[in-house]
Amino acid sequence: MKKYAFGVDIGGTTIKIGFFETTGKMLDKWEIVTRKENGGSLILGDIKASIEEKLAKEGISKDDVQGVGMGVPGPVTNGGVVNKCANLGWGVFNVEEEATALFGLPVKAGNDANVASLGEMWMGGGKGYENVVMVTLGTGVGAGVIIGGKIIHGTNGAGGEVGHMKVDEDETEVCGCGKTGCLEQYTSATGVVRLTKRGLAKGGVETCLTKLDEITCKDVFDAAREGDAFACTIVEKFGKILGGALAKVACVVDPQVFVIGGGVSKAGQILIDVVEKNFKAEAFHACENTKIALATLGNDAGMYGCAKMAIDG
Ligand code: ZN
Protein backbone atom coordinates (compact mmCIF):
# COMPACT_ATOMS: atom_id res chain seq x y z
CA MET A 1 0.00 0.00 0.00
CA LYS A 2 1.36 3.39 -1.02
CA LYS A 3 1.17 6.30 1.34
CA TYR A 4 -1.00 8.93 -0.39
CA ALA A 5 -4.16 9.35 -2.49
CA PHE A 6 -6.17 12.19 -4.00
CA GLY A 7 -9.93 12.59 -3.80
CA VAL A 8 -11.33 14.89 -6.50
CA ASP A 9 -14.98 15.91 -6.29
CA ILE A 10 -15.94 17.59 -9.57
CA GLY A 11 -18.90 19.96 -9.32
CA GLY A 12 -20.49 22.30 -11.83
CA THR A 13 -18.88 25.38 -10.23
CA THR A 14 -15.80 24.18 -8.36
CA ILE A 15 -13.59 21.12 -8.20
CA LYS A 16 -12.78 20.09 -4.62
CA ILE A 17 -9.43 18.34 -4.25
CA GLY A 18 -8.43 16.48 -1.10
CA PHE A 19 -4.96 15.13 -0.37
CA PHE A 20 -5.08 12.06 1.88
CA GLU A 21 -2.93 9.53 3.62
CA THR A 22 -4.18 6.06 2.65
CA THR A 23 -5.09 5.56 6.34
CA GLY A 24 -7.98 8.00 5.75
CA LYS A 25 -6.40 11.11 7.21
CA MET A 26 -7.08 14.24 5.14
CA LEU A 27 -3.86 16.24 4.98
CA ASP A 28 -5.07 19.17 2.91
CA LYS A 29 -7.98 20.30 0.73
CA TRP A 30 -8.48 23.10 -1.76
CA GLU A 31 -10.72 24.12 -4.66
CA ILE A 32 -10.18 25.11 -8.26
CA VAL A 33 -12.72 26.62 -10.65
CA THR A 34 -14.56 24.26 -13.00
CA ARG A 35 -13.85 25.54 -16.52
CA LYS A 36 -16.78 24.24 -18.54
CA GLU A 37 -15.90 25.86 -21.86
CA ASN A 38 -15.09 23.71 -24.93
CA GLY A 39 -17.32 20.88 -23.75
CA GLY A 40 -15.47 20.64 -20.44
CA SER A 41 -12.27 19.58 -22.22
CA LEU A 42 -10.05 21.68 -19.90
CA ILE A 43 -11.22 20.00 -16.69
CA LEU A 44 -8.93 16.96 -16.60
CA GLY A 45 -5.88 19.06 -17.52
CA ASP A 46 -6.66 21.51 -14.71
CA ILE A 47 -6.91 18.65 -12.20
CA LYS A 48 -3.61 17.16 -13.40
CA ALA A 49 -1.87 20.53 -13.04
CA SER A 50 -3.26 21.06 -9.53
CA ILE A 51 -2.24 17.57 -8.37
CA GLU A 52 1.26 17.90 -9.81
CA GLU A 53 1.67 21.31 -8.23
CA LYS A 54 0.75 19.85 -4.83
CA LEU A 55 3.15 16.91 -5.22
CA ALA A 56 5.99 19.25 -6.27
CA LYS A 57 5.31 21.54 -3.30
CA GLU A 58 5.36 18.61 -0.85
CA GLY A 59 8.33 16.95 -2.56
CA ILE A 60 6.33 13.73 -3.05
CA SER A 61 6.86 11.41 -6.01
CA LYS A 62 3.97 9.91 -8.00
CA ASP A 63 5.45 6.52 -7.02
CA ASP A 64 4.14 7.16 -3.48
CA VAL A 65 0.60 7.93 -4.68
CA GLN A 66 -1.89 5.04 -4.77
CA GLY A 67 -4.19 6.82 -7.19
CA VAL A 68 -6.81 9.46 -7.85
CA GLY A 69 -10.53 9.02 -7.28
CA MET A 70 -12.95 11.32 -9.11
CA GLY A 71 -16.59 12.05 -8.36
CA VAL A 72 -18.64 13.19 -11.34
CA PRO A 73 -22.10 14.84 -11.25
CA GLY A 74 -23.76 12.37 -13.63
CA PRO A 75 -24.09 8.65 -14.31
CA VAL A 76 -20.79 6.70 -14.38
CA THR A 77 -20.56 2.96 -15.11
CA ASN A 78 -18.35 0.58 -13.14
CA GLY A 79 -15.81 0.75 -16.00
CA GLY A 80 -15.53 4.54 -15.80
CA VAL A 81 -17.74 5.53 -18.73
CA VAL A 82 -19.47 8.85 -18.11
CA ASN A 83 -22.91 8.93 -19.70
CA LYS A 84 -23.43 12.66 -20.29
CA CYS A 85 -22.76 15.22 -17.63
CA ALA A 86 -24.71 18.37 -18.49
CA ASN A 87 -23.18 20.35 -15.59
CA LEU A 88 -19.66 19.89 -17.00
CA GLY A 89 -20.46 19.89 -20.70
CA TRP A 90 -19.24 16.28 -20.95
CA GLY A 91 -20.70 13.78 -23.41
CA VAL A 92 -20.14 10.02 -23.37
CA PHE A 93 -16.51 8.89 -22.83
CA ASN A 94 -14.32 6.77 -20.56
CA VAL A 95 -13.07 9.30 -18.03
CA GLU A 96 -10.99 6.69 -16.13
CA GLU A 97 -8.98 5.72 -19.20
CA GLU A 98 -8.48 9.30 -20.33
CA ALA A 99 -7.47 10.58 -16.89
CA THR A 100 -5.19 7.60 -16.13
CA ALA A 101 -3.25 8.27 -19.35
CA LEU A 102 -3.12 12.01 -18.70
CA PHE A 103 -2.24 11.94 -14.98
CA GLY A 104 0.23 9.07 -15.08
CA LEU A 105 -1.60 7.71 -12.01
CA PRO A 106 -4.35 5.09 -11.63
CA VAL A 107 -7.77 6.82 -11.72
CA LYS A 108 -11.16 5.54 -10.58
CA ALA A 109 -14.37 7.47 -11.22
CA GLY A 110 -17.86 7.31 -9.78
CA ASN A 111 -21.10 9.25 -9.58
CA ASP A 112 -20.80 12.05 -7.01
CA ALA A 113 -23.70 10.90 -4.81
CA ASN A 114 -22.42 7.31 -4.82
CA VAL A 115 -18.93 8.48 -3.96
CA ALA A 116 -20.19 10.69 -1.10
CA SER A 117 -21.90 7.59 0.30
CA LEU A 118 -18.61 5.72 0.24
CA GLY A 119 -16.97 8.64 2.06
CA GLU A 120 -19.61 8.60 4.81
CA MET A 121 -19.18 4.82 5.14
CA TRP A 122 -15.41 5.18 5.44
CA MET A 123 -15.03 8.11 7.81
CA GLY A 124 -18.48 9.61 8.50
CA GLY A 125 -22.00 8.74 9.68
CA GLY A 126 -21.72 5.19 8.37
CA LYS A 127 -18.29 4.47 9.85
CA GLY A 128 -17.91 0.90 11.04
CA TYR A 129 -20.51 -0.43 8.58
CA GLU A 130 -20.12 -1.89 5.10
CA ASN A 131 -23.75 -2.02 3.98
CA VAL A 132 -24.86 1.60 3.79
CA VAL A 133 -27.45 3.62 1.89
CA MET A 134 -26.79 7.32 1.96
CA VAL A 135 -29.45 9.77 0.84
CA THR A 136 -28.38 13.35 0.08
CA LEU A 137 -31.24 15.84 0.41
CA GLY A 138 -30.11 19.01 -1.34
CA THR A 139 -31.56 20.95 -4.26
CA GLY A 140 -32.33 17.48 -5.58
CA VAL A 141 -32.21 14.04 -3.95
CA GLY A 142 -29.14 11.90 -4.65
CA ALA A 143 -28.28 8.59 -3.08
CA GLY A 144 -25.68 5.88 -3.08
CA VAL A 145 -25.84 2.22 -2.19
CA ILE A 146 -22.76 0.55 -0.70
CA ILE A 147 -22.79 -3.23 -0.24
CA GLY A 148 -19.84 -5.09 1.20
CA GLY A 149 -17.91 -1.80 1.12
CA LYS A 150 -18.40 -1.44 -2.65
CA ILE A 151 -20.48 1.10 -4.57
CA ILE A 152 -23.37 -0.40 -6.55
CA HIS A 153 -23.02 1.52 -9.82
CA GLY A 154 -25.69 -0.46 -11.67
CA THR A 155 -25.74 -1.38 -15.36
CA ASN A 156 -26.38 2.18 -16.56
CA GLY A 157 -24.65 4.02 -13.75
CA ALA A 158 -28.06 4.71 -12.22
CA GLY A 159 -27.72 2.43 -9.17
CA GLY A 160 -29.04 4.18 -6.05
CA GLU A 161 -31.05 6.82 -7.92
CA VAL A 162 -33.75 6.74 -5.25
CA GLY A 163 -34.54 10.42 -5.87
CA HIS A 164 -36.50 9.33 -8.93
CA MET A 165 -38.49 6.54 -7.30
CA LYS A 166 -42.16 7.28 -7.92
CA VAL A 167 -43.85 7.94 -4.60
CA ASP A 168 -47.06 9.67 -5.74
CA GLU A 169 -49.29 8.47 -8.57
CA ASP A 170 -51.39 11.64 -8.53
CA GLU A 171 -48.66 14.27 -8.94
CA THR A 172 -49.22 16.63 -11.89
CA GLU A 173 -46.08 18.82 -11.64
CA VAL A 174 -43.08 17.52 -13.57
CA CYS A 175 -39.77 16.51 -11.93
CA GLY A 176 -36.40 17.63 -13.35
CA CYS A 177 -36.08 14.14 -14.89
CA GLY A 178 -39.22 14.69 -16.97
CA LYS A 179 -41.48 12.27 -15.07
CA THR A 180 -43.90 12.92 -12.21
CA GLY A 181 -44.24 11.95 -8.54
CA CYS A 182 -40.51 11.44 -7.85
CA LEU A 183 -39.19 11.35 -4.26
CA GLU A 184 -37.06 14.39 -5.12
CA GLN A 185 -40.22 16.46 -5.67
CA TYR A 186 -41.15 16.14 -1.96
CA THR A 187 -38.01 15.60 0.09
CA SER A 188 -35.38 17.86 -1.50
CA ALA A 189 -35.03 21.40 -0.09
CA THR A 190 -37.09 22.67 -3.03
CA GLY A 191 -39.55 19.83 -2.49
CA VAL A 192 -40.19 20.78 1.13
CA VAL A 193 -40.83 24.40 0.09
CA ARG A 194 -43.15 23.18 -2.69
CA LEU A 195 -45.17 21.07 -0.21
CA THR A 196 -45.37 24.07 2.11
CA LYS A 197 -46.56 26.47 -0.58
CA ARG A 198 -49.08 23.91 -1.77
CA GLY A 199 -50.42 23.63 1.79
CA LEU A 200 -50.62 27.41 2.19
CA ALA A 201 -52.37 27.82 -1.16
CA LYS A 202 -55.30 25.78 0.17
CA GLY A 203 -55.97 28.76 2.48
CA GLY A 204 -57.36 28.91 6.01
CA VAL A 205 -53.96 28.12 7.51
CA GLU A 206 -52.60 29.87 10.58
CA THR A 207 -48.82 29.69 10.68
CA CYS A 208 -45.80 31.87 11.42
CA LEU A 209 -44.54 31.01 7.91
CA THR A 210 -46.98 33.43 6.22
CA LYS A 211 -45.01 36.33 7.76
CA LEU A 212 -41.96 35.45 5.64
CA ASP A 213 -41.34 36.98 2.22
CA GLU A 214 -39.62 33.86 0.95
CA ILE A 215 -39.99 30.50 2.73
CA THR A 216 -36.96 28.18 2.87
CA CYS A 217 -36.75 24.54 3.87
CA LYS A 218 -34.89 25.60 7.03
CA ASP A 219 -37.76 27.94 7.99
CA VAL A 220 -40.22 25.04 7.81
CA PHE A 221 -38.14 22.76 10.08
CA ASP A 222 -37.39 25.65 12.46
CA ALA A 223 -41.10 26.49 12.74
CA ALA A 224 -41.96 22.82 13.37
CA ARG A 225 -39.33 22.68 16.13
CA GLU A 226 -41.04 25.71 17.71
CA GLY A 227 -44.36 23.84 17.61
CA ASP A 228 -46.03 25.63 14.66
CA ALA A 229 -48.91 23.24 13.89
CA PHE A 230 -48.94 23.79 10.13
CA ALA A 231 -45.14 23.39 9.83
CA CYS A 232 -45.47 20.17 11.86
CA THR A 233 -47.93 18.77 9.31
CA ILE A 234 -45.44 19.51 6.50
CA VAL A 235 -42.57 17.87 8.40
CA GLU A 236 -44.81 14.88 9.14
CA LYS A 237 -45.68 14.59 5.44
CA PHE A 238 -41.98 14.83 4.55
CA GLY A 239 -41.24 12.07 7.09
CA LYS A 240 -44.00 9.84 5.79
CA ILE A 241 -42.81 10.15 2.20
CA LEU A 242 -39.10 9.71 2.96
CA GLY A 243 -39.58 7.07 5.67
CA GLY A 244 -41.91 5.16 3.35
CA ALA A 245 -39.44 5.35 0.45
CA LEU A 246 -36.58 4.13 2.66
CA ALA A 247 -38.77 1.23 3.84
CA LYS A 248 -39.10 0.17 0.19
CA VAL A 249 -35.34 0.55 -0.35
CA ALA A 250 -34.75 -1.59 2.77
CA CYS A 251 -36.81 -4.38 1.22
CA VAL A 252 -34.33 -4.56 -1.66
CA VAL A 253 -31.02 -3.61 -0.06
CA ASP A 254 -31.46 -4.31 3.70
CA PRO A 255 -28.57 -2.02 4.75
CA GLN A 256 -27.14 -1.74 8.26
CA VAL A 257 -27.66 2.01 8.24
CA PHE A 258 -29.30 4.81 6.26
CA VAL A 259 -27.17 7.96 6.39
CA ILE A 260 -29.02 11.22 5.66
CA GLY A 261 -26.96 14.13 4.35
CA GLY A 262 -27.28 17.31 2.27
CA GLY A 263 -28.56 20.76 3.23
CA VAL A 264 -31.96 19.50 4.43
CA SER A 265 -30.27 17.20 6.96
CA LYS A 266 -29.04 20.27 8.87
CA ALA A 267 -32.52 20.15 10.46
CA GLY A 268 -30.92 17.48 12.67
CA GLN A 269 -32.68 15.26 15.19
CA ILE A 270 -36.23 16.39 14.32
CA LEU A 271 -35.65 15.02 10.82
CA ILE A 272 -34.21 11.72 12.04
CA ASP A 273 -37.11 11.29 14.49
CA VAL A 274 -39.85 11.82 11.92
CA VAL A 275 -38.17 9.65 9.27
CA GLU A 276 -37.42 6.86 11.77
CA LYS A 277 -41.02 6.80 13.06
CA ASN A 278 -42.48 6.53 9.56
CA PHE A 279 -39.82 4.07 8.43
CA LYS A 280 -40.60 1.71 11.33
CA ALA A 281 -44.32 1.91 10.55
CA GLU A 282 -43.83 0.82 6.94
CA ALA A 283 -40.72 -1.38 6.91
CA PHE A 284 -40.80 -5.16 6.62
CA HIS A 285 -40.49 -6.54 10.19
CA ALA A 286 -37.02 -8.03 9.67
CA CYS A 287 -35.49 -4.65 8.86
CA GLU A 288 -37.66 -2.24 10.85
CA ASN A 289 -34.83 -1.52 13.31
CA THR A 290 -32.37 -0.37 10.65
CA LYS A 291 -30.34 2.53 12.00
CA ILE A 292 -30.99 6.01 10.56
CA ALA A 293 -28.13 8.46 11.14
CA LEU A 294 -27.04 11.93 10.10
CA ALA A 295 -24.09 12.39 7.75
CA THR A 296 -21.06 13.98 9.44
CA LEU A 297 -18.61 14.92 6.67
CA GLY A 298 -20.68 17.68 5.02
CA ASN A 299 -19.19 18.90 1.73
CA ASP A 300 -16.04 16.83 2.30
CA ALA A 301 -17.86 13.48 1.92
CA GLY A 302 -17.22 13.36 -1.83
CA MET A 303 -13.48 13.89 -1.43
CA TYR A 304 -13.26 11.16 1.23
CA GLY A 305 -15.21 8.75 -0.97
CA CYS A 306 -13.06 9.52 -4.01
CA ALA A 307 -9.87 8.87 -2.01
CA LYS A 308 -11.34 5.60 -0.70
CA MET A 309 -12.20 4.56 -4.26
CA ALA A 310 -8.63 5.31 -5.37
CA ILE A 311 -7.19 3.34 -2.44
CA ASP A 312 -9.44 0.32 -3.04
CA GLY A 313 -8.54 0.44 -6.75
ZN1 ZN B 1 -37.59 12.50 -11.26
Side-chain angles (χ1 to χ4, degrees):
M1 173 69 71
K2 295 175 181 179
K3 204 165 173 218
Y4 303 103
F6 286 93
V8 181
D9 185 4
I10 308 174
T13 315
T14 61
I15 299 167
K16 297 187 182 74
I17 305 181
F19 183 51
F20 290 83
E21 283 182 355
T22 48
T23 55
K25 185 179 179 196
M26 184 189 262
L27 299 170
D28 195 8
K29 61 173 173 176
W30 63 96
E31 293 184 5
I32 59 174
V33 172
T34 310
R35 292 200 290 160
K36 287 174 282 192
E37 52 266 44
N38 301 326
S41 62
L42 305 168
I43 292 172
L44 294 180
D46 287 347
I47 294 168
K48 170 190 157 88
S50 191
I51 284 174
E52 288 181 347
E53 191 186 325
K54 179 68 182 171
L55 291 175
K57 197 173 140 206
E58 302 287 337
I60 292 167
S61 151
K62 278 187 187 172
D63 294 338
D64 292 322
V65 178
Q66 183 81 14
V68 179
M70 293 198 306
V72 173
V76 184
T77 68
N78 196 22
V81 176
V82 173
N83 189 348
K84 286 188 189 154
C85 212
N87 283 340
L88 306 179
W90 285 359
V92 181
F93 73 110
N94 192 314
V95 70
E96 279 182 8
E97 282 177 12
E98 208 160 294
T100 298
L102 186 68
F103 297 176
L105 286 165
V107 176
K108 293 296 280 183
N111 166 267
D112 55 358
N114 288 347
V115 163
S117 311
L118 189 64
E120 287 287 344
M121 179 210 79
W122 191 33
M123 288 288 157
K127 194 172 178 180
Y129 300 104
E130 57 171 23
N131 299 322
V132 176
V133 174
M134 178 179 171
V135 181
T136 304
L137 308 173
T139 316
V141 173
V145 176
I146 313 287
I147 297 295
K150 296 282 178 202
I151 295 172
I152 304 299
H153 295 274
T155 308
N156 301 294
E161 280 288 352
V162 306
H164 300 285
M165 274 174 57
K166 196 179 188 79
V167 295
D168 185 356
E169 292 291 335
D170 301 321
E171 183 60 64
T172 52
E173 285 177 42
V174 179
C175 174
C177 74
K179 306 223 166 154
T180 57
C182 295
L183 181 65
E184 174 167 303
Q185 289 184 282
Y186 310 90
T187 61
S188 62
T190 25
V192 171
V193 171
R194 202 178 66 96
L195 282 180
T196 307
K197 286 184 174 163
R198 198 176 256 188
L200 289 172
K202 284 185 191 153
V205 177
E206 233 179 271
T207 167
C208 64
L209 294 170
T210 48
K211 289 186 216 124
L212 304 169
D213 292 335
E214 196 60 56
I215 298 167
T216 66
C217 176
K218 179 177 186 298
D219 295 328
V220 178
F221 277 98
D222 285 349
R225 210 180 284 108
E226 297 296 318
D228 184 278
F230 170 74
C232 287
T233 65
I234 299 297
V235 167
E236 188 61 40
K237 185 157 191 179
F238 162 91
K240 187 159 174 52
I241 293 171
L242 184 56
L246 297 186
K248 292 182 183 73
V249 172
C251 284
V252 182
V253 175
D254 190 11
Q256 292 160 300
V257 60
F258 285 100
V259 178
I260 314 284
V264 178
S265 72
K266 291 192 182 126
Q269 196 57 40
I270 185 175
L271 180 147
I272 295 296
D273 289 346
V274 76
V275 173
E276 204 165 57
K277 181 183 80 175
N278 285 284
F279 174 83
K280 269 187 202 298
E282 294 200 19
F284 178 55
H285 66 84
C287 46
E288 68 184 20
N289 291 318
T290 305
K291 190 173 151 73
I292 299 179
L294 290 169
T296 62
L297 299 176
N299 291 332
D300 291 351
M303 286 183 284
Y304 275 92
C306 288
K308 175 68 170 155
M309 202 164 51
I311 292 160
D312 290 349

